Amino acid sequence: MRKPSVTVEKICLLAGKIMLASGAETYRVEDTMDRIAKCYGIENPQSYATLTGLHFSLDYTSSSYFLRITKRATDLHKIDEVNQLSREIVAEQMPLSTAYDKLKALEKHVPTFSLSFQVLAAALVSGCFSLMFGGIWPDFLPACLAGGIGYLTMILFDKMIEIRFLAEFFGASFVGLIALSCFSLGFGGSLEMIIIGAVMPLVPGLPITNAIRDLMAGHLVSGVSKGIESLLTAVAIGAGIAIVYGFFPV
């Protein structure tokens, strides 16, 4: 079977796909795609990125190519790797086939940290946030336990149902349930501080920041979309905690 030829469009769309699916700002995605295209002699590349798709054409009146983004996560390492690779492409005039192979390898690259390490980090972050927001040392361990279990629950539900908002809802529900259980058993000095610290790993900090940066860069559609997504995530987290309070009042 003949191997499909590698084109500038494929490279630009693949680079944009990796960045957008890893949580990059849309203006950064468009800038990277344009820089790569200009490196290969395209004078007027036209790239347009939204939260769920990419459009790209080689010129004002050329055919437009579309690539849909169905799943997004947060992977700053991949964003940095694509940025670094784009600099190498521009500096070295890298052949199309070589650039495409490197991007495909980067796309298939698995996360650096294992699930157990991520859960441990979420637990420690939860305890530290609890102290930072005014909690006391007895709140540290309950916040760590609730935050770690809540984060693990969110990851597992996200893999099972693939609906991010429901996964965050169930993750927050487990945070509230574990925090309430620990407090009822006499562990912790303040239930509020335990919950506040434990939900922080679920809070969409990067999407909120990206929404503001996109709005400031003039990308109104992407900025508003990310803002609404962040708002829905916050509502899901709040609803998960509220459900626990509703069924198990303190």
Side-chain angles (χ1 to χ4, degrees):
M1 183 180 294
R2 184 179 178 183
K3 186 178 180 179
S5 59
V6 178
T7 61
V8 177
E9 308 94 276
K10 285 185 177 180
I11 293 177
C12 292
L13 286 172
L14 181 56
K17 174 189 175 183
I18 297 172
M19 295 184 69
L20 199 59
S22 300
E25 309 95 317
T26 52
Y27 76 86
R28 187 188 301 273
V29 174
E30 294 178 2
D31 180 67
T32 300
M33 293 170 67
D34 289 343
R35 288 177 183 272
I36 293 175
K38 289 178 180 179
C39 170
Y40 291 115
I42 307 302
E43 295 184 359
N44 300 303
Q46 301 297 308
S47 58
Y48 179 69
T50 65
L51 196 61
T52 56
L54 290 167
H55 294 266
F56 181 77
S57 62
L58 298 178
D59 207 335
Y60 299 123
T61 57
S62 298
S63 300
S64 178
Y65 301 87
F66 174 76
L67 181 63
R68 181 170 177 79
I69 308 298
T70 56
K71 195 171 182 62
R72 298 179 301 279
T74 300
D75 193 336
L76 300 181
H77 179 71
K78 275 191 177 181
I79 297 173
D80 179 67
E81 288 291 326
V82 175
N83 279 331
Q84 183 61 36
L85 181 57
S86 69
R87 297 187 189 100
E88 294 177 6
I89 292 173
V90 173
E92 303 173 8
Q93 292 291 316
M94 191 179 295
L96 289 172
S97 58
T98 303
Y100 185 77
D101 290 340
K102 288 189 174 183
L103 284 170
K104 289 297 290 185
L106 182 58
E107 182 186 25
K108 296 177 181 178
H109 178 67
V110 296
T112 305
F113 304 110
S114 63
L115 178 59
S116 58
F117 187 88
Q118 293 179 48
V119 172
L120 177 61
L124 292 176
V125 164
S126 299
C128 293
F129 269 117
S130 177
L131 296 177
M132 189 181 75
F133 287 128
I136 57 178
W137 280 108
D139 299 327
F140 182 81
L141 289 180
C144 288
L145 182 62
I149 294 178
Y151 186 81
L152 177 62
T153 301
M154 183 194 71
I155 295 296
L156 295 179
F157 271 96
D158 188 43
K159 291 181 179 180
M160 287 189 295
I161 58 181
E162 297 186 352
I163 301 177
R164 186 73 176 181
F165 304 115
L166 287 180
E168 286 156 348
F169 170 80
F170 286 116
S173 299
F174 270 81
V175 166
L177 188 60
I178 299 300
L180 187 60
S181 299
C182 290
F183 187 76
S184 300
L185 293 174
F187 298 102
S190 172
L191 179 60
E192 290 77 11
M193 292 300 105
I194 296 173
I195 292 178
I196 290 173
V199 299
M200 289 307 295
L202 309 181
V203 173
L206 182 63
I208 292 173
T209 304
N210 286 350
I212 296 173
R213 295 188 67 178
D214 280 337
L215 288 172
M216 294 177 65
H219 293 248
L220 302 181
V221 174
S222 297
V224 172
S225 299
K226 289 180 180 178
I228 293 175
E229 182 182 41
S230 302
L231 178 62
L232 290 175
T233 299
V235 170
I237 294 172
I241 298 296
I243 287 292
V244 175
Y245 265 94
F247 281 99
F248 306 99
V250 180

